[in-house]
Amino acid sequence: MPSLPAPEPITELEVLALRSGVKGSRGLWRGEQVYVKTLVSDDPDRIAMFHHEGEVAARVSQPPSGHPLVTPLLRHTHDQLIFPFLPGGTLRDLARCGPMGAEAATEVTWGVLQAVAFLHARGVTHHDLKPENVLLVSGEARMDAVRLVDFGMSHATDLQLDIHSGTRMGTPHFMAPEQFQGVRGDPRSDLYSVGVLLFDCLAGHPPYEDALGWLVGISENRAELPGPPELHPVMQAAIQRDLNARPQSALEMLHALCVARRALHLPELTG
């Protein structure tokens, strides 16, 4: 890994979170409101994970390869990751208000899939798609309000070392079964998570109450598919245990979502 620049001066700092050796703060950098992740741990594993996130985020941020629905990394220093500050909250914040209607849920899912298709085309599998990692600008459930964040668990095909190789890292309610078994870098794992996100938006909860039981294969008890029947095939296909039974690409899943929205007489989405 190349040497990194010295920390940048950040003014008007307001600490928002402290988790796993990383402090999250809002502040002012070069006249811009930013969200800063600051490494405050000297644990070698935490240090490696922090800079791994920076390396992956840089790969999907640099012009002209960035995407409007992926939060860009502005600066990676010795102990900082600096991102634009995006007011509005997360999909989790919105979900606390209760289940979403089909139009809003599919708009958000469409935005997530657009961002995921971009990542996959660049050899990046996110591996931690969950409501907390989907920002919604201004808190609105719109396709163009979606911003993906947090590449701490991501896999990038062009990185020489995958520091998470063989691990079971992820969020049980949203991670794919093969990911729990240590499989890394398969884009279809992200599509499973997107299917769970759609389920969660419509139902107000993920499909498997006993998530660990489902992941290890000792429980198959799944909640009823939520929302209108036109959306059931999209979710049913995405959350299959068998990778080959899922959509094989984000574009394939986008097409299925488009067909479902059309059947529901919802406006066409583009982008």
Side-chain angles (χ1 to χ4, degrees):
M1 180 175 176
S3 60
L4 293 166
E8 292 278 337
I10 310 290
T11 60
E12 302 180 20
L13 271 177
E14 175 189 359
V15 177
L16 303 176
L18 178 60
R19 185 173 62 251
S20 302
V22 176
K23 179 172 63 178
S25 309
R26 177 181 180 176
L28 196 64
W29 176 69
R30 300 183 181 180
E32 179 180 355
Q33 288 286 333
V34 292
Y35 182 79
V36 187
K37 289 186 172 183
T38 304
L39 182 66
V40 292
S41 172
D42 58 3
D43 178 81
D45 290 337
R46 296 294 179 194
I47 294 171
M49 289 172 61
F50 182 84
H51 292 299
H52 171 81
E53 178 177 1
E55 287 188 87
V56 177
R59 279 162 164 72
V60 297
S61 299
Q62 300 306 318
S65 63
H67 191 280
L69 303 186
V70 176
T71 305
L73 177 67
L74 303 176
R75 187 75 165 162
H76 181 185
T77 76
H78 177 70
D79 63 0
Q80 296 167 314
L81 300 175
I82 304 176
F83 302 89
F85 181 81
L86 300 170
T90 69
L91 181 57
R92 171 60 67 215
D93 297 325
L94 189 61
R96 291 192 182 103
C97 298
M100 297 164 61
E103 182 166 12
T106 53
E107 272 222 37
V108 170
T109 304
W110 185 279
V112 173
L113 279 170
Q114 290 284 351
V116 166
F118 166 80
L119 298 181
H120 293 175
R122 282 149 187 80
V124 173
T125 306
H126 189 282
H127 277 312
D128 198 23
L129 295 171
K130 58 184 179 180
E132 291 81 357
N133 288 338
V134 179
L135 298 184
L136 296 174
V137 177
S138 301
E140 297 183 50
R142 301 191 329 268
M143 173 190 71
D144 59 355
V146 167
R147 300 292 186 277
L148 284 194
V149 298
D150 199 340
F151 293 92
M153 297 185 191
S154 297
H155 177 277
T157 56
D158 64 343
L159 282 181
Q160 291 185 347
L161 176 65
D162 177 21
I163 65 168
H164 300 307
S165 178
T167 66
R168 295 180 175 181
M169 294 191 70
T171 303
H173 279 294
F174 292 88
M175 70 191 294
E178 71 279 357
Q179 188 178 333
F180 183 76
Q181 299 300 327
V183 174
R184 299 267 299 157
D186 192 316
R188 294 170 296 180
S189 297
D190 280 350
L191 303 185
Y192 174 94
S193 299
V194 176
V196 177
L197 277 175
L198 176 57
F199 190 112
D200 190 70
C201 286
L202 292 165
H205 56 79
Y208 296 99
E209 183 178 4
D210 180 10
L212 287 175
W214 158 252
L215 291 173
V216 300
I218 62 174
S219 173
E220 299 290 332
N221 294 329
R222 189 198 70 203
E224 292 295 321
L225 292 170
E230 291 84 355
L231 290 173
H232 291 181
V234 180
M235 290 178 281
Q236 182 72 52
I239 62 176
Q240 292 293 314
R241 187 182 296 278
D242 181 0
L243 286 86
N244 293 317
R246 296 177 204 158
Q248 297 301 289
S249 70
L251 294 180
E252 182 182 332
M253 191 168 174
L254 274 167
H255 175 73
L257 192 61
C258 178
V259 170
R261 280 183 58 93
R262 191 177 297 131
L264 289 166
H265 306 290
L266 296 175
E268 292 281 341
L269 297 175
T270 59

